[in-house]
Amino acid sequence: LAKTTQPISMDSYEGQEVNITCSHNNIATNDYITWYQQFPSQGPRFIIQGYKTKVTNEVASLFIPADRKSSTLSLPRVSLSDTAVYYCLVGDENYGGSQGNLIFGKGTKLSVKP
Amino acid sequence: EAGVAQSPRYKIIEKRQSVAFWCNPISGHATLYWYQQILGQGPKLLIQFQNNGVVDDSQLPKDRFSAERLKGVDSTLKIQPAKLEDSAVYLCASSLVPRQNEQYFGPGTRLTVT
């Protein structure tokens, strides 16, 4: 069962690029890395998922080194509306039960200032 | 496409009372999850259904919590009797199979037990 470690909080300014790193030393071969974003009083929202190297979508990029023991979520040119908690999860894409791989830690609270 | 619906949005009860939460997942999503999120923490998985069968309920306090998903669509989570420590937001999420790491969350039900 992979466990993740993230910084508790980060501060940034509007227009900057923000990189949030997650450590997952015990990641298993079949595990994918997934990031969620959560605003106050809302449920988490899926941002991006990857297995290795780099994945990019319209809102973020995910960088995964060859050993896959960490990953970095990159948010380009953040705005005030990106202020939220960001969670890193690792788990089998075809998870079929037992051992509860869908574990959210405390996440990283990102504060974007004007 | 309609998102995950939950009701009620807020509920206040006294300890030892019972309460029920309802969830309607995204149409076509076979997998449904219930999470408990205590203030300041990440969501904790309580139970996972695939269609109308339970896949994982290892973290569900079965002496007081129960959940069902009749006909493989809507689901109900019940707490009886409630304790003060059950005060939390209860989130419902759904996903396609096998993309179970990409979950879609509802707005949650905020429960306050007094």
Side-chain angles (χ1 to χ4, degrees):
Chain A
L1 180 63
K3 181 178 178 180
T4 61
T5 303
Q6 303 174 235
I8 293 175
S9 63
M10 293 182 69
D11 291 333
S12 182
Y13 290 93
E14 281 191 295
Q16 288 188 333
E17 178 185 72
V18 171
N19 296 310
I20 306 174
T21 297
C22 178
S23 297
H24 28 79
N25 292 320
N26 298 321
I27 190 168
T29 303
N30 293 333
D31 285 344
Y32 280 69
I33 300 154
T34 312
W35 286 81
Y36 281 81
Q37 174 192 56
Q38 187 174 27
F39 297 113
S41 301
Q42 294 186 24
R45 182 176 75 103
F46 174 88
I47 301 176
I48 197 167
Q49 177 177 275
Y51 184 80
K52 61 180 179 181
T53 60
K54 177 183 175 182
V55 179
T56 297
N57 62 22
E58 63 276 9
V59 297
S61 295
L62 178 59
F63 298 91
I64 305 167
D67 66 5
R68 305 199 328 121
K69 292 184 182 299
S70 66
S71 59
T72 299
L73 174 72
S74 181
L75 304 172
R77 298 180 297 281
V78 294
S79 64
L80 296 177
S81 63
D82 292 316
T83 294
V85 178
Y86 293 82
Y87 296 98
C88 165
L89 290 80
V90 294
D92 189 338
E93 176 71 351
N94 295 304
Y95 168 71
S98 76
Q99 300 185 12
N101 71 314
L102 300 167
I103 296 176
F104 289 76
K106 291 190 176 182
T108 298
K109 186 174 183 179
L110 173 65
S111 297
V112 179
K113 302 174 183 178
Chain B
E1 178 182 83
V4 175
Q6 290 189 248
S7 68
R9 291 296 312 276
Y10 305 92
K11 190 74 176 179
I12 301 174
I13 62 172
E14 295 182 352
K15 59 183 179 183
R16 291 187 288 274
Q17 286 187 325
S18 62
V19 64
F21 312 125
W22 173 83
C23 173
N24 180 243
I26 292 174
S27 177
H29 282 194
T31 309
L32 184 147
Y33 315 79
W34 282 102
Y35 290 85
Q36 178 192 59
Q37 185 170 26
I38 293 173
L39 187 65
Q41 299 183 19
K44 180 182 104 174
L45 180 68
L46 294 176
I47 189 167
Q48 176 183 350
F49 293 93
Q50 186 161 314
N51 296 309
N52 60 350
V54 175
V55 174
D56 183 356
D57 63 357
S58 57
Q59 298 192 85
L60 186 73
K62 299 180 185 62
D63 57 334
R64 299 184 300 105
F65 286 64
S66 64
E68 60 182 9
R69 190 184 185 197
L70 301 176
K71 301 181 181 179
V73 181
D74 294 5
S75 177
T76 303
L77 176 70
K78 296 179 181 178
I79 307 175
Q80 183 179 11
K83 293 185 175 182
L84 296 176
E85 57 261 36
D86 297 332
S87 293
V89 175
Y90 291 85
L91 295 160
C92 179
S94 68
S95 68
L96 291 167
V97 177
R99 294 192 59 80
Q100 295 177 114
N101 287 340
E102 184 174 347
Q103 299 178 29
Y104 295 82
F105 284 80
T109 297
R110 182 176 297 277
L111 173 67
T112 302
V113 182
T114 62

